[in-house]
Amino acid sequence: MKKWILLIVLASSFSAYAQQAKAIASSKTNTTTTTSNVSVSVSDDDSNYAFAASFDKQKTSSAKKEIVTIFGEPATEGKYFVWRKGENLEIKLREGRVSIEFEKGDQKLYDKVKSLGDSVSEVIGSKK
């Protein structure tokens, strides 16, 4: 008799679990998820400022507009748009990636470069 009761309890538990699992699975099919991948790295020490970011490719034109606003039109080197100011500054942009390398020395230029890093972070969707 105890075996029958145990079997009935187990069968009903399994049945309830199966119904619950089915309900969860059907509710997930109605969910849409949008993902965005943004990675930003900034290094700012006494002698150098470095900024590197990877982001969704569709944000590349927005990042380019920010750079063009401050540093003008770029040169093109293969897949890269490149901006240079002497030997102290190099900015490289390609689809979904940007890097800034600046050797400090000119405070005005540093302020522009730092501001550029902040504005690029904003347009590519990085949260501060």
Side-chain angles (χ1 to χ4, degrees):
M1 174 97 164
K2 289 182 182 179
K3 289 180 184 178
W4 282 103
I5 294 173
L6 179 63
L7 287 175
I8 293 171
V9 170
L10 287 175
S12 64
S13 295
F14 178 75
S15 175
Y17 176 75
Q19 289 175 351
Q20 182 183 9
K22 187 175 182 180
I24 292 171
S26 65
S27 68
K28 285 188 178 183
T29 59
N30 297 329
T31 303
T32 303
T33 304
T34 304
T35 58
S36 176
N37 294 315
V38 177
S39 173
V40 175
S41 173
V42 178
S43 173
D44 193 0
D45 61 32
D46 291 340
S47 58
N48 295 299
Y49 172 87
F51 175 95
S54 62
F55 49 91
D56 294 332
K57 290 179 181 180
Q58 67 265 23
K59 304 271 181 137
T60 302
S61 64
S62 297
K64 183 181 176 192
K65 283 181 189 178
E66 290 297 314
I67 302 169
V68 167
T69 299
I70 297 173
F71 291 103
E73 291 298 321
T76 304
E77 295 179 6
K79 294 180 180 182
Y80 288 91
F81 294 107
V82 181
W83 294 261
R84 290 189 178 94
K85 288 276 187 192
E87 293 182 14
N88 297 342
L89 174 64
E90 180 178 76
I91 303 167
K92 286 186 166 184
L93 172 73
R94 69 174 201 162
E95 261 192 30
R97 297 192 186 276
V98 64
S99 67
I100 302 170
E101 293 186 25
F102 176 65
E103 188 177 316
K104 292 181 180 177
D106 180 340
Q107 185 62 41
K108 275 185 149 179
L109 186 55
Y110 167 72
D111 293 341
K112 284 183 179 181
V113 170
K114 176 105 172 65
S115 175
L116 176 63
D118 293 343
S119 63
V120 168
S121 289
E122 193 172 306
V123 299
I124 64 171
S126 174
K127 303 219 191 254
K128 292 185 178 183

